[in-house]
């Protein structure tokens, strides 16, 4: 799926008259074209005041045209230099630049390599792209058109790759990459892109006396800080953590997703076992034992729910994993250590989120994160809880609206991070939006209403939480309206947005951007 967006929308303020230093910003392929005054730069995105409001465009993907370009570069207080742009053309007509680039692709594991080869091979034969695509058996690829080409080689052992296919944590604190939805959906040079999705499950001996565990307590168990289950509400019994070999791919991924974001390491006395089958058998035999293994290998009877900071337990079922509600989701992403100068790499990895690619990746052992509907029984239980909940005045108003709006709606697995986002969060959001476009392009959604429902907490209280969550939902709706305009129009789909703040959220997964007002935007259909 190729993302082609002429950026002239995603407004954040009402239209105003442009000021003197107006410039023309265009990408070489002219998929990005915007005129206005550059008013800010955060190191990645340019903030441009246009005739329709303030929008953001990626600096590294545009050429600045016009006599004011050099003046802006010489006299700005936000650190913008010519090096941040593709080029500066002060006089003359618009030019189209070309060029060739070679980037290496590396894999954290053999399974990550298999995922990449499946996506690249399918992209070569099944995608809608303006590029010519040639893919070798090992995944080496050449993508290009008359103006520019991109060659992807396979990195050798020990070589630092330009693009790494690796497991990425959605926990912990990560720097802001995108100021809002318009940024992560518009860019053709994302920091990360989602390719495949799995999860870890926590399995526990029945006599441990717990049916759920917080992410923080899970870290403390494996760090050796919790030694008796009674310390976290379980039985008076010693804790026996079990782990896979420390040189295994799964152990490395567990460490990256669970321990590293918390700044902890696994204790030296944790018992190591050779494989997941042995661990599963030992959980039944060893009193007080616990382990973290691949969800695909976990026995549902042994698995327990995991909660974030606010204490909402979330079970490791498929819907909860692909919606991002479950804290131990295990996404595999393309991470860019070197930015491509052409959009072909972004097209290739965006294709991984299409229905075609997701169907193929199931054969590689990954979950299909194409859109699912939540079990209506679970949806009804959530809404039913509103009727006897203890709520403050602002929450009661929001709860009444939530009950009325969502009563005859079904929740879709598509769930996104609102507001400022890290590179991994932006990759997740981008993939979810591609999933949603695929869904709405089908005949089953003719004339349906898509509801963007914002949830989130605020240190300023419930009213602020409701306001922030509404703003996040409205921003997501506006972005989706531009991204999926043809699918919306052809199927007669309508869009709406609501904010419910901290009233009955489905999870309490924390955002990665420190200091930001974290919101989650669920998608419902009615």
């Amino acid at each position: 799926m190729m993302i082609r967006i002429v950026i002239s929308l995603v407004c954040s303020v009402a239209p105003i008259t442009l000021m003197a230093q107006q410039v023309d910003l265009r990408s070489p392929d002219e998929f990005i074209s915007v005129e206005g005054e550059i008013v800010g730069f955060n190191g990645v995105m340019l903030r441009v005041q246009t005739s329709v409001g303030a929008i953001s465009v990626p600096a590294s993907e545009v050429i600045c045209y016009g006599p004011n370009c050099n003046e802006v570069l010489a006299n700005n207080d936000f650190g913008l230099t010519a090096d941040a742009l593709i080029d500066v053309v002060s006089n003359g007509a618009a030019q189209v630049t070309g060029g060739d680039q070679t980037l290496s692709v590396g894999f954290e594991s053999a399974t990550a390599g298999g995922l990449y080869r499946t996506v690249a091979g399918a992209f070569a034969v099944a995608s809608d792209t303006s590029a010519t695509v040639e893919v070798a058996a090992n995944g080496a690829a050449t993508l290009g058109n008359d103006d520019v080409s991109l060659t992807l080689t396979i990195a050798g052992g020990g070589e630092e790759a330009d693009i790494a296919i690796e497991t990425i944590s959605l926990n912990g604190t990560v720097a802001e990459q995108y100021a809002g939805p318009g940024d992560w959906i518009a860019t053709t040079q994302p920091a990360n892109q989602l390719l495949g999705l799995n999860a870890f499950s926590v399995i526990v001996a029945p006599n441990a006396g717990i049916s759920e565990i917080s992410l923080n307590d899970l870290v403390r168990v494996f760090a050796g800080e919790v030694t008796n289950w009674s310390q976290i509400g379980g039985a008076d019994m010693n804790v026996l953590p079990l782990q896979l070999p420390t040189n295994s791919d799964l152990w490395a991924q567990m460490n990256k997703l669970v321990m590293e974001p918390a700044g902890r390491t696994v204790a030296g006395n944790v018992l190591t076992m050779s494989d997941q089958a042995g661990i599963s058998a030992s959980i039944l035999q060893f009193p007080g034992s616990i382990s973290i293994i691949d969800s695909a290998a976990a026995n549902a009877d042994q698995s327990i729910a995991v909660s974030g900071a606010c204490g909402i337990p979330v079970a490791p079922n498929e819907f909860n994993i692909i919606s991002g509600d479950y804290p131990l989701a295990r996404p595999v992403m393309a991470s860019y250590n070197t930015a491509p100068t052409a959009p072909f790499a972004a097209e290739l990895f965006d294709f991984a989120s299409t229905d075609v690619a997701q169907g193929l990746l199931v054969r590689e052992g990954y979950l299909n994160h194409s859109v699912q509907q939540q079990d209506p029984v679970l949806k009804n239980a959530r809404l039913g809880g509103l009727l006897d909940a203890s709520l403050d005045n602002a929450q009661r108003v929001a709860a009444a609206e939530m009950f009325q709006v969502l009563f005859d709606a079904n929740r879709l697995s598509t769930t996104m991070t609102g507001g400022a986002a890290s590179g991994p969060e932006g990759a997740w959001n981008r993939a979810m939006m591609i999933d949603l476009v695929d869904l709405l392009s089908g005949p089953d959604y003719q004339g349906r209403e898509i509801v963007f429902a914002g949830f989130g907490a605020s240190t300023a209280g419930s009213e602020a939480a409701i306001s922030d969550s509404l703003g996040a939902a409205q921003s997501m709706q506006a972005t989706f309206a531009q991204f999926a305009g043809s699918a919306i129009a052809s199927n007669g789909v309508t869009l709406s947005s609501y904010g419910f703040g901290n009233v009955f959220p489905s999870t309490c997964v924390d955002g990665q951007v420190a200091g930001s007002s974290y919101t989650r935007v669920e998608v419902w259909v009615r």
Side-chain angles (χ1 to χ4, degrees):
M1 180 175 186
M2 187 174 187
I3 296 181
R4 301 186 180 185
I5 303 175
V6 178
I7 302 182
S8 60
L9 294 163
V10 193
C11 306
S12 62
V13 298
I16 64 169
T17 302
L18 295 181
M19 299 179 71
Q21 295 180 337
Q22 185 169 345
V23 299
D24 179 9
L25 300 173
R26 305 183 200 175
S27 61
D29 52 23
E30 298 195 355
F31 289 162
I32 299 176
S33 178
V34 60
E35 295 183 1
E37 180 198 6
I38 299 174
V39 295
F41 177 58
N42 66 2
V44 177
M45 307 298 292
L46 293 172
R47 197 71 174 161
V48 185
Q49 193 69 52
T50 77
S51 61
V52 295
I55 60 99
S56 294
V57 298
S60 61
E61 296 177 25
V62 294
I63 302 167
C64 186
Y65 296 94
N68 288 325
C69 292
N70 287 332
E71 184 178 351
V72 172
L73 294 171
N75 300 287
N76 70 81
D77 58 3
F78 35 78
L80 177 64
T81 66
D83 291 340
L85 307 167
I86 293 178
D87 200 0
V88 178
V89 180
S90 298
N91 298 291
Q95 302 170 3
V96 176
T97 62
D100 303 322
Q101 185 180 28
T102 298
L103 298 178
S104 60
V105 183
F107 316 109
E108 71 172 4
S109 64
T111 56
L115 181 157
Y116 166 79
R117 287 189 293 274
T118 296
V119 170
F123 178 75
V125 299
S127 66
D128 177 16
T129 175
S130 61
T132 59
V133 185
E134 297 179 3
V135 180
N138 69 344
T142 301
L143 309 93
N145 56 29
D146 292 339
D147 299 312
V148 61
S149 69
L150 174 65
T151 299
L152 300 177
T153 63
I154 305 305
E159 177 185 347
E160 183 176 356
D162 297 307
I163 304 173
I165 311 301
E166 59 184 347
T167 301
I168 296 291
S169 176
L170 291 172
N171 298 315
T173 301
V174 180
E176 177 183 323
Q177 182 73 33
Y178 307 105
D183 298 343
W184 46 254
I185 200 60
T187 181
T188 57
Q189 290 188 357
N192 303 89
Q193 287 181 271
L194 179 65
L195 273 69
L197 182 62
N198 271 323
F200 282 117
S201 287
V202 179
I203 56 175
V204 179
N207 53 16
I210 65 168
S211 59
E212 62 189 66
I213 191 169
S214 71
L215 191 56
N216 181 59
D217 284 342
L218 185 63
V219 169
R220 294 172 61 216
V221 164
F222 280 86
E225 298 169 12
V226 174
T227 58
N228 190 290
W229 286 113
S230 63
Q231 292 175 247
I232 56 173
D236 184 8
M237 176 178 292
N238 289 336
V239 175
L240 177 62
L242 309 176
Q243 67 177 351
L244 289 164
T246 56
N247 61 354
S248 67
D249 293 333
L250 281 175
W251 185 92
Q253 294 170 19
M254 179 280 294
N255 195 50
K256 183 183 290 189
L257 266 65
V258 178
M259 305 304 291
E260 288 182 3
R264 310 287 183 86
T265 57
V266 175
N269 61 350
V270 172
L271 182 62
T272 299
M273 306 196 73
S274 60
D275 55 43
Q276 297 187 109
I279 287 177
S280 293
S282 298
I283 289 291
L284 294 174
Q285 298 172 8
F286 297 169
S289 54
I290 180 174
S291 191
I292 304 170
I293 65 172
D294 187 345
S295 290
N299 186 323
D301 293 336
Q302 297 174 333
S303 302
I304 63 172
V306 180
S307 65
C310 68
I312 299 174
V314 182
N317 61 47
E318 187 169 338
F319 182 93
N320 290 341
I321 294 169
I322 68 175
S323 67
D325 288 357
Y326 180 63
L328 294 183
R330 195 167 100 236
V332 178
M333 297 188 178
S335 300
Y336 292 88
N337 300 313
T338 301
T341 55
F344 305 131
E347 293 177 33
L348 167 61
F349 296 127
D350 278 341
F351 175 75
S353 293
T354 63
D355 287 344
V356 171
Q358 284 297 300
L360 295 173
L361 290 178
V362 170
R363 303 175 191 174
E364 300 288 332
Y366 293 90
L367 291 173
N368 185 333
H369 66 67
S370 298
V371 184
Q372 294 183 13
Q373 285 194 13
Q374 188 179 35
D375 183 340
V377 173
L378 298 178
K379 182 267 290 193
N380 290 337
R382 182 180 178 190
L383 294 182
L386 296 170
L387 301 178
D388 56 5
S390 177
L391 305 171
D392 63 32
N393 290 336
Q395 289 174 322
R396 277 195 291 273
V397 174
E401 182 179 51
M402 180 176 169
F403 190 90
Q404 181 175 351
V405 169
L406 303 182
F407 179 77
D408 59 349
N410 291 304
R411 186 185 170 194
L412 303 178
S413 55
T414 313
T415 305
M416 291 163 276
T417 298
S422 66
E425 288 171 330
W428 180 278
N429 291 348
R430 186 176 170 115
M432 295 299 104
M433 201 160 275
I434 293 171
D435 286 347
L436 190 56
V437 172
D438 271 353
L439 181 77
L440 297 188
S441 299
D444 292 344
Y445 285 81
Q446 183 79 34
R448 305 288 290 277
E449 178 187 2
I450 296 298
V451 177
F452 293 86
F455 294 86
S458 173
T459 56
S462 296
E463 289 187 7
I466 293 165
S467 176
D468 290 347
S469 64
L470 175 59
Q474 290 173 333
S475 180
M476 203 70 70
Q477 176 189 334
T479 299
F480 185 71
Q482 300 309 315
F483 178 63
S486 60
I488 293 169
S490 62
N491 261 351
V493 174
T494 59
L495 307 178
S496 61
S497 51
Y498 298 86
F500 304 120
N502 51 359
V503 176
F504 272 66
S506 58
T507 186
C508 49
V509 177
D510 294 329
Q512 291 190 315
V513 179
S516 66
S517 178
Y518 181 66
T519 51
R520 285 173 63 80
V521 179
E522 298 177 2
V523 178
W524 293 63
V525 60
R526 60 181 183 178

